[in-house]
Amino acid sequence: MALLPSRVKYRKTQRGNRGGNATSANKLDFGEYGLQVLERGWLKNNQIEACRVAITRFLKRKGKVFIRVFPHKPVTARPPETRMGKGKGSPEFWVAVILPGHMLFEISGVNEATARDACRLAANKLGFRTRFVTRAISH
């Protein structure tokens, strides 16, 4: 299941601005426990899917998992061994722009130890520093 938008207004986008901290999706809104990112960058669609699989497999169909990120941004790449010029490359993959403080995943319906282990497995699939948050410290 590849995460990508069903349709977009523009096929190719510029790289954009990655400054600042997350102002939305930076608190627990749906679950009791969450995985919050502490660095900035791009999160690829296959990384999000790998985290989702790791969490759901560990929870064994108990609890509920909320995915708080979606890859809206296309990233283009040129074919290998291509000379300069001839325009922008075609979209290769999709990314979600991640700012510090963004909540990536939320979990509810399980105890804290289980949620902590599930988030640890997901964090190992990411190239970002993350932290485990609970309802008590997120507000």
Side-chain angles (χ1 to χ4, degrees), residues 21-138:
N21 294 330
T23 54
S24 62
N26 55 0
K27 294 188 199 62
L28 284 170
D29 290 329
F30 303 103
E32 285 94 54
Y33 310 105
L35 187 65
Q36 190 177 39
V37 72
L38 302 174
E39 295 176 344
R40 72 186 71 247
W42 284 348
L43 188 61
K44 289 171 71 169
N45 54 357
N46 56 358
Q47 289 176 298
I48 298 171
E49 179 64 10
C51 291
R52 184 195 68 80
V53 168
I55 292 172
T56 52
R57 286 219 176 123
F58 184 81
L59 294 181
K60 298 192 178 110
R61 296 174 59 191
K62 293 175 178 58
K64 185 156 176 55
V65 179
F66 302 92
I67 304 172
R68 299 289 307 274
V69 288
F70 187 82
H72 288 291
K73 185 184 198 62
V75 176
T76 60
R78 304 291 300 277
E81 298 176 20
T82 309
R83 291 191 177 183
M84 292 288 102
K86 308 268 193 298
K88 192 170 165 81
S90 58
E92 289 289 308
F93 55 91
W94 295 81
V95 296
V97 178
I98 299 297
L99 299 176
H102 202 110
M103 202 65 67
L104 299 181
F105 299 95
E106 293 185 26
I107 300 173
S108 67
V110 294
N111 62 11
E112 184 174 345
T114 308
R116 193 177 287 275
D117 286 344
C119 286
R120 180 182 45 79
L121 288 173
N124 289 334
K125 306 273 186 264
L126 302 171
F128 301 100
R129 284 189 309 116
T130 58
R131 71 175 182 173
F132 179 77
V133 293
T134 61
R135 277 257 180 236
I137 64 167
S138 70

